[in-house]
């Protein structure tokens, strides 16, 4: 399967001699509301979600890949000068497809 990674020039060039990719750490993502998207009105719940986000950021991260390179918005947000990398990868259980929703999920109480 061919996957594409929208990446800036520095990290792309670093990956050529050293075949590793930079992992996005949760607290360093472009969107500060990542992992905080549940609908809730409780200050306590928001604080707990922020704590969970910080715990995840300590030792977890992820790499976003796409099966299609025809996404101008993705190129403009995540790549530099419309550059990116393509990878031939074997399908496995560590690759998870993102499921987008039209509305924010509500936290059940």
């Amino acid at each position: 399967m061919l996957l594409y990674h929208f990446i800036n020039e520095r990290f792309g060039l670093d990956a050529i001699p050293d075949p590793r990719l930079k992992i996005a750490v949760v607290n360093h993502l472009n969107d500060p509301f990542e992992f905080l998207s549940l609908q809730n009105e409780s200050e306590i719940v928001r604080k707990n979600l922020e704590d969970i986000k910080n715990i995840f950021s300590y030792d977890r991260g992820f790499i976003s890949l796409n099966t299609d390179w025809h996404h101008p918005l993705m190129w403009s947000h995540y790549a530099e000068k419309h550059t990116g990398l393509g990878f031939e990868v074997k399908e496995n259980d560590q690759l998870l497809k993102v499921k987008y929703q039209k509305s924010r999920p509500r936290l059940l109480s």
Side-chain angles (χ1 to χ4, degrees):
M1 169 175 35
L2 191 57
L3 297 174
Y4 299 93
H5 183 51
F6 305 97
I7 190 169
N8 70 34
E9 185 176 21
R10 176 181 154 221
F11 294 121
L13 291 174
D14 287 349
I16 294 170
D18 184 10
R20 299 182 309 158
L21 290 175
K22 179 184 179 296
I23 293 175
V25 178
V26 175
N27 280 341
H28 296 157
L29 297 174
N30 290 345
D31 184 352
F33 296 104
E34 230 23 282
F35 284 76
L36 301 174
S37 61
L38 293 174
Q39 284 188 33
N40 70 80
E41 286 78 34
S42 168
E43 199 171 311
I44 294 169
V45 170
R46 273 195 300 276
K47 172 70 172 109
N48 288 338
L49 290 172
E50 286 177 14
D51 290 345
I52 291 168
K53 178 181 174 179
N54 290 330
I55 291 168
F56 267 68
S57 190
Y58 178 74
D59 65 355
R60 291 185 176 91
F62 57 89
I63 297 174
S64 294
L65 302 166
N66 200 312
T67 57
D68 185 1
W69 64 273
H70 296 292
H71 289 281
L73 189 60
M74 296 296 283
W75 286 111
S76 65
H77 278 283
Y78 299 107
E80 183 177 0
K81 300 177 186 168
H82 299 280
T83 58
L85 302 172
F87 300 94
E88 184 72 37
V89 298
K90 294 180 181 178
E91 291 190 45
N92 64 57
D93 60 355
Q94 292 185 10
L95 296 174
L96 304 173
K97 186 169 180 149
V98 174
K99 297 175 186 173
Y100 292 98
Q101 297 179 341
K102 291 186 180 199
S103 60
R104 292 171 53 195
R106 180 168 281 293
L107 185 64
L108 301 175
S109 52

